[in-house]
Amino acid sequence: MKAKTFENLIRKVVREEIDYALRREIKTLKEDLRDELKPTITEHKEKMVEIPEATKTSLREKIMGNEPIKQRKKQNFVSDGTLNDLLNETAAGDTNLNSGNAPVSLSQPFSTSAPLPMDTTGMPKSVANAVTRDYSGLMKAINKKKGL
């Protein structure tokens, strides 16, 4: 056997042995990683706290008020049933508009000629300037362009 042929044969055998050993090591490393990455499920047991009945109804009372709900005859405003139910709820006025939690306060007009006070603390200066700017001149120009 020539030296070159013998050298190539040894290289081939060594390469095969290294491939076999690497595959075996990689397989065991993957199994170890899989075991480490498996999520561990831990069960937390918490005690349920009983909520007093007064607390349960306080939010409802804030929104709806203490007055009994008036039963009104349902009117047929539109042919769509869902929209008709919504309009009937609105017409019944089932929300408490006198509290501070009301969706809309009817005690004050929606718009006034005076600018609304605005707290701009914490806003960037450019945003604060844009929020507090007097846009009346711009609105007049837009209305003039529209022909209003």
Side-chain angles (χ1 to χ4, degrees):
M1 193 182 276
K2 292 185 175 180
K4 191 70 170 171
T5 309
F6 185 66
E7 181 183 338
N8 287 339
L9 184 62
I10 290 176
R11 284 180 190 236
K12 184 179 177 184
V13 171
V14 168
R15 191 176 298 128
E16 288 174 359
E17 287 297 319
I18 289 174
D19 285 347
Y20 176 72
L22 282 176
R23 283 192 196 111
R24 195 172 55 214
E25 286 300 312
I26 289 173
K27 184 178 178 182
T28 57
L29 288 173
K30 282 183 180 178
E31 288 174 357
D32 291 345
L33 280 175
R34 255 188 240 121
D35 292 341
E36 287 179 16
L37 295 177
K38 278 186 181 174
T40 55
I41 300 173
T42 56
E43 187 174 328
H44 297 282
K45 294 185 178 181
E46 297 177 8
K47 293 182 180 179
M48 298 298 286
V49 178
E50 185 70 28
I51 299 174
E53 192 64 33
T55 308
K56 290 180 183 177
T57 59
S58 65
L59 180 62
R60 180 182 178 277
E61 288 173 0
K62 282 182 182 177
I63 295 172
M64 301 297 285
N66 291 332
E67 300 171 10
I69 298 174
K70 304 169 210 156
Q71 294 295 330
R72 292 180 54 136
K73 182 181 175 188
K74 288 193 175 187
Q75 296 178 344
N76 195 11
F77 294 105
V78 292
S79 60
D80 183 18
T82 307
L83 182 58
N84 197 43
D85 290 343
L86 184 63
L87 289 172
N88 275 307
E89 283 180 29
T90 305
D94 288 342
T95 55
N96 181 13
L97 299 176
N98 298 326
S99 74
N101 296 329
V104 175
S105 175
L106 298 178
S107 63
Q108 299 174 351
F110 288 110
S111 64
T112 62
S113 59
L116 296 174
M118 174 71 63
D119 182 23
T120 59
T121 54
M123 288 185 191
K125 188 171 181 146
S126 59
V127 174
N129 290 339
V131 169
T132 58
R133 178 180 167 197
D134 181 20
Y135 287 99
S136 61
L138 175 66
M139 296 309 295
K140 287 177 184 175
I142 291 172
N143 289 338
K144 184 177 179 182
K145 186 175 181 181
K146 286 184 176 180
L148 297 175

